[in-house]
Amino acid sequence: MTEFVTLDAFDHKLLARVRRNNLEPARVTAEAVGLSESAVLRRLRRLRAEGVIVADVAVVDPARVEPRIVLHVLVEMNTQERRHTDAFKAAMAASPEIQACWDVTGETDFLLNVSVRSMAEYEAFCQREMTTDTHVRAFKSMITIREVVSFDPARAVLSGQG
């Protein structure tokens, strides 16, 4: 079970800022949240050490790198045995086509975000990961036509933190 970390108002302000721009200079962040630069750096180190901040990443616009086909795939398993679902999760984590994999409720067991260069690449992914896994009962693919709302750092705020 996840152990929750107690955060104060300054921690929430810091997290909201680094979610928008984790390269903002500490002096600018300090001025914005009302702390000293050293206090900001100390708190950010603590938040990373405690696993609250798990990664510092760059959000890349895939359209500017290479053309991609994005698919959402609903996967239904024929078993809920942990060893089989864990094996499926591990296979998805190791698959380069998988951008995200969610364990979901309802008729579907997993929701995948798959990114490929071509339908032939998607077909190869399906052959390798879906049709050979005897515990996958069915899967349904939805091709993304266009992204309507995407990650926007300016909108990245913590729940309940405005």
Side-chain angles (χ1 to χ4, degrees), residues 82-104:
R82 186 174 184 147
R83 64 189 169 111
H84 299 303
T85 58
D86 284 351
F88 182 81
K89 291 174 193 177
M92 294 305 98
S95 178
E97 296 88 354
I98 297 295
Q99 300 303 299
C101 174
W102 296 277
D103 193 341
V104 297

Side-chain angles (χ1 to χ4, degrees), residues 11-102:
D11 292 329
H12 285 287
K13 288 178 184 178
L14 285 172
L15 290 173
R17 293 197 69 87
V18 298
R19 286 182 72 168
R20 287 184 185 100
N21 179 5
N22 70 342
L23 296 178
E24 180 177 74
R27 64 176 168 68
V28 175
T29 304
E31 186 175 303
V33 300
L35 290 171
S36 69
E37 186 174 343
S38 61
V40 164
L41 293 170
R42 190 171 41 255
R43 282 173 178 263
L44 289 174
R45 268 193 308 276
R46 177 182 55 82
L47 291 169
R48 286 181 176 95
E50 291 178 344
V52 174
I53 298 174
V54 296
D56 292 294
V57 299
V59 178
V60 177
D61 181 354
R64 302 196 40 97
V65 178
E66 66 179 350
R68 303 295 287 184
I69 299 169
V70 177
L71 301 101
H72 297 278
V73 181
L74 304 170
V75 181
E76 185 181 337
M77 306 295 284
N78 61 20
T79 179
Q80 295 303 311
E81 287 184 49
R82 186 174 184 147
R83 64 189 169 111
H84 299 303
T85 58
D86 284 351
F88 182 81
K89 291 174 193 177
M92 294 305 98
S95 178
E97 296 88 354
I98 297 295
Q99 300 303 299
C101 174
W102 296 277

